Amino acid sequence: MTHINIHIKSKRYPAIGQAQPHLAIENLQLSVQPSEFICLVGPSGCGKTTLFNIIAGLDQDFEGDISLATGQQRHPKIGYVFQNPRLLPWRTVRENIELALSGPQSNDSIASLIAAMQLTDMQHVYPERLSLGMSRRVAIIRAFAVNPDLLLMDEPFVSIDAPTARQVRTLLLQLWQQRPHSVLFVTHDLREAIALADRLVFLSPPPMSVITEISVPITRQDRNDDAALEAFRQQLLHDYPKIRTLV
Amino acid sequence: MSNCKLSSSVLNALSLLIFLCLWQLLAVWVNSVTLPPPIAVAKVFWQAILSGELPYHLGVTLLRLTISFIIAMLLGCAIGILLGRNKALDGLFDQWLIIFLNVPALVSMILCYVWFGLTESAAILAVVINKIPNVVVTVREGTRALNQDLSEMARCYRFSKRKTLQHVIWPQLHPYIMAATRSGLALIWKIILVVELLGRSNGMGYQLNLFFQLFDVASILAYTFAFITVVQLIEWLVLKPLDKKQQRWRR
């Protein structure tokens, strides 16, 4: 069970060449409950990727504090689906997935993930032969396969066709319900966010901070009902006019 | 595919034949001991092999080449990676690198022999000093070009140091190291002969100097032939297969 507290006082990018110094995040506070599914919604370029890099520990040049507590004596495992797939071109699809695993993992569980993503035929090819959509799916499998305590997904379904995206979304929810873990999911699509999240967090343009947080009261069973989702979306846009500019 | 292969080997044989014919014609036309015909060179080559002289001197040179190549590659790669990753160190030693790159090979050889005597280790040191800056420059370039996205991925998924080196860093450095290997072998071949000529009493360089003094052009050409053959063998048997294995993922 991972409990995450994020408090970033400020994150600045120094001036490089002609570019001015840039204040990317200012006074952002967010706490994530164990096994909570949060969707982050904000305009593009607002600093969501920067936030993810800070949470994943890749960027430590910021003022503030991130605590990831697993309740056990170990580092929380993080599965990160980057905005670009970041596969090793010189390793096959299967090897790319297996390399991310720290310990031995049953072949079956990886094989079933690969099958669920419809990549069984492609598992022994090198990533250069994959389409961008396929590469993205491999990156998603890699993040799932590590059995993360925290899953970071940075617009994972861009350039995946709609039916496949729907399947992957269903698979994501299945896996999340089988083995509860916290998920932070960036999207521009409010419908997608409502379909997935326990809580929506709306983020401002830079310097980024939290504008508002809204819990999604729709039960998991009712999430398949498109009409209920759409009604909630309309209600949201009506109740919170300022989020209209964000989505 | 097999047709293509066949025609390319036919072409290779044909080009070699044309070369030999031209040589023969020129030798007949010049008619001088300074340009022996191919058949005379072949005879000398065969005798030198039978007498054991050529294999011995070639072996000695190859041993020196192998030792100095391994030392230069290991040190050069280590320094190159270090400088590529560390801007402060790079700034500190960049000037040194340019100086060492431009010190004439002959100067470093003479200095090594003067300072350390006409010994085997001085000879190898002279070769290594000439080779290292080349490796460093190439590998440093490769290290600077490492893909940050992949390094971040490796850190995020907690790759061990060994795993990162083997699966993330090494495949990216491989083309640069192969370039350093090829240019390095070519460079070492050239330098090592001069080193032997100046201060050793065996090896190809020593022998060539001897033949020069005797004006024995047939022997010089025979030794050169042995030499070219070895370089080609290294290319075909070691470098090409290595390349093929490492590059198999490319489209």
Side-chain angles (χ1 to χ4, degrees), chain A residues 157-227:
Chain A
F157 301 146
V158 175
S159 76
I160 293 184
D161 60 284
T164 312
R166 188 175 268 272
Q167 262 176 345
V168 179
R169 230 173 269 142
T170 313
L171 179 67
L172 167 62
L173 287 176
Q174 265 175 16
L175 290 168
W176 175 67
Q177 278 160 346
Q178 278 166 19
R179 202 189 59 78
H181 54 279
S182 312
V183 183
L184 287 174
F185 189 105
V186 165
T187 179
H188 291 289
D189 182 350
L190 189 53
R191 283 188 190 85
E192 179 175 62
I194 294 170
L196 290 171
D198 293 322
R199 182 154 54 109
L200 306 173
V201 173
F202 292 92
L203 300 163
S204 71
M208 183 172 87
S209 59
V210 175
I211 297 179
T212 184
E213 299 182 25
I214 299 160
S215 293
V216 181
I218 307 169
T219 61
R220 288 285 158 190
Q221 287 85 351
D222 293 343
R223 301 271 174 145
N224 296 322
D225 177 3
D226 286 344

Side-chain angles (χ1 to χ4, degrees), chain B residues 58-76 120-129 131-132 135 184-185 188-189 192 196 234:
Chain B
L58 187 63
V60 168
T61 301
L62 273 178
L63 186 64
R64 285 191 189 121
L65 176 116
T66 312
I67 294 171
S68 47
F69 175 77
I70 290 173
I71 296 175
M73 284 305 285
L74 286 179
L75 283 177
E120 199 61 51
S121 40
I124 285 173
L125 183 67
V127 178
V128 168
I129 285 178
K131 170 66 188 142
I132 281 183
V135 185
L185 276 179
I188 290 182
W189 269 127
I192 212 159
E196 287 173 347
I234 293 175

Side-chain angles (χ1 to χ4, degrees), chain B residues 91-105:
Chain B
L92 196 61
F93 291 112
D94 192 43
Q95 278 303 318
W96 289 35
L97 203 56
I98 292 170
I99 292 170
F100 275 106
L101 262 178
N102 290 295
V103 169

